[in-house]
Amino acid sequence: MRRWRSLMWLLFLAWPLFLGAKEAAAPKSPALARQAVVLQISGAIGPATADYVHRGFAKAKDANAALVILQMDTPGGLDTAMRAIVQDILAAPMPVVVYVAPSGARAASAGAYILLAAHVAAMAPATNVGAATPVRIGGVPDPGADRAPKKDEQEKDKKGKAKPEKPGMDEKAINDAIAYIRGLAQLRGRNVAWAEKAVREAASIPAEEAVKTNVADLMAADLPQLLKKLDGRKVKLQSGEVKLDTKNLTLKTHEPDWRNRLLAVIADPNIAYILMLLGIYGLFFELWNPGYVLPGVIGGICLLLALYAFQVLPISYAGLGLILLGITFMVAEAFMPSFGALGIGGLVAFVIGSIILFDT
């Protein structure tokens, strides 16, 4: 009896280990390999959008997804954030479909680059793409760009002929954007001439014309119809050519969580300008009237948030800077009473920095 009891206890204790070994040895569920992960890009493209897309691709890779669909409706955004998303698309181990939807949506400015970078470019009816000319933040004109130099101001060569004018900052930015968008169009076999026109002349076309002129690949009214039209299409990945099999694919949408939504609000261009002004004027008033504390606290926090929103500081540096600033304020509150201005400001900076830096 004792032997039987010992054997029963041994089996009871070993049962969880057996289940764990069985689960580890079991192959991955076929449902995981038959997923199409949907990521939603809505609004201005900024550092929060690039972070959301990057993490979405990582989740799709972990889930062994067969396809990633970027459903996009954007007026444009920051060049650095757009290039980060394009790099994620080009390095993706699975096919990436950029789908401009729903009807009435657009892929303007930075969105046009992302659409051309996709393995498959799809658009819903009554959508448009284009207007990809780079615009400087703040709209500050290029000094001397609108004024043609006078004859006596033009540099001359040894033969006395006028030298060609040097390109301004705007022209350099446009030429760089043209080279970039042409490279993406050539990589995917799309209309290179129109891609250059979208940058040089800010051209924009509707979905029907985009498909006819080989800017987009297909039109679909919704996601189920998109999957039907994708079935059997061949795309080129870094690993080689792949034939899409989208029958019975399960659509799994990874919507932006509260962290991404909060960071997207901070990174909105309109909010970013306000934060920049508050930061500059807050520090200015603190230096003009030392000892007020509150303007300096607000200015320091707003300035770091603005630098993050304009992607001057990367996410890691911005988050770490806010955390360190918050700790400094809270420590200073203990030695220099400020009626809670330093303490509350430090707590706010610490919390926002933690949200930016860490992803729960």
Side-chain angles (χ1 to χ4, degrees), residues 32-233:
L32 293 178
R34 300 299 302 161
Q35 284 183 359
V37 174
V38 181
L39 305 176
Q40 297 176 342
I41 299 178
S42 180
I45 295 174
T49 311
D51 181 63
Y52 161 68
V53 172
H54 182 74
R55 295 179 187 276
F57 274 101
K59 291 178 182 178
K61 184 178 180 181
D62 293 339
N64 196 22
L67 189 69
V68 173
I69 300 175
L70 287 179
Q71 184 171 326
M72 184 169 59
D73 178 14
T74 178
L78 295 179
D79 174 79
T80 48
M82 174 270 294
R83 289 176 184 260
I85 295 174
V86 169
Q87 289 173 3
D88 284 334
I89 293 175
L90 298 181
M94 75 287 291
V96 179
V97 179
V98 174
Y99 178 42
V100 184
S103 295
R106 56 180 170 170
S109 192
Y113 296 81
I114 297 173
L115 182 70
L116 291 175
H119 298 100
V120 180
M123 302 178 70
T127 57
N128 64 282
V129 58
T133 305
V135 179
R136 241 185 293 179
I137 293 178
V140 180
D142 186 6
D146 298 330
R147 183 181 66 87
K150 298 179 181 178
K151 292 183 179 181
D152 56 347
E153 293 179 348
Q154 291 181 343
E155 296 183 8
K156 297 182 180 181
D157 55 16
K158 294 180 179 180
K159 297 182 179 180
K161 295 182 180 180
K163 292 183 179 180
E165 298 177 21
K166 296 180 180 179
M169 292 298 295
D170 290 341
E171 189 175 351
K172 289 181 179 180
I174 290 176
N175 290 337
D176 177 68
I178 289 174
Y180 190 61
I181 200 169
R182 282 178 62 91
L184 295 175
Q186 289 174 353
L187 178 66
R188 301 306 185 197
R190 300 197 173 102
N191 193 328
V192 177
W194 180 89
E196 179 175 348
K197 189 177 179 181
V199 176
R200 194 177 297 278
E201 302 177 14
S204 184
I205 54 176
E208 295 83 355
E209 189 176 346
V211 174
K212 291 179 181 178
T213 56
N214 192 30
V215 174
D217 298 316
L218 57 91
M219 288 179 57
D222 51 26
L223 288 172
Q225 186 180 13
L226 175 64
L227 292 179
K228 290 181 181 179
K229 292 191 175 184
L230 289 175
D231 190 51
R233 180 180 289 270

Side-chain angles (χ1 to χ4, degrees), residues 14-29:
W15 183 252
L17 298 177
F18 173 74
L19 288 179
K22 184 177 180 181
E23 183 178 354
K28 292 184 178 180
S29 172

Side-chain angles (χ1 to χ4, degrees), residues 281-296:
Y281 282 109
L283 295 179
F284 172 77
F285 285 130
E286 182 63 33
L287 293 174
W288 190 261
N289 301 288
Y292 275 20
V293 180
L294 185 60

Side-chain angles (χ1 to χ4, degrees), residues 284-328:
F284 172 77
F285 285 130
E286 182 63 33
L287 293 174
W288 190 261
N289 301 288
Y292 275 20
V293 180
L294 185 60
V297 171
I298 295 176
I301 296 174
C302 291
L303 187 60
L304 282 175
L305 289 176
L307 293 176
Y308 157 75
F310 289 129
Q311 222 162 0
V312 176
L313 288 177
I315 291 178
S316 56
Y317 287 174
L320 184 61
L322 284 168
I323 290 175
L324 294 177
L325 185 66
I327 294 174
T328 303

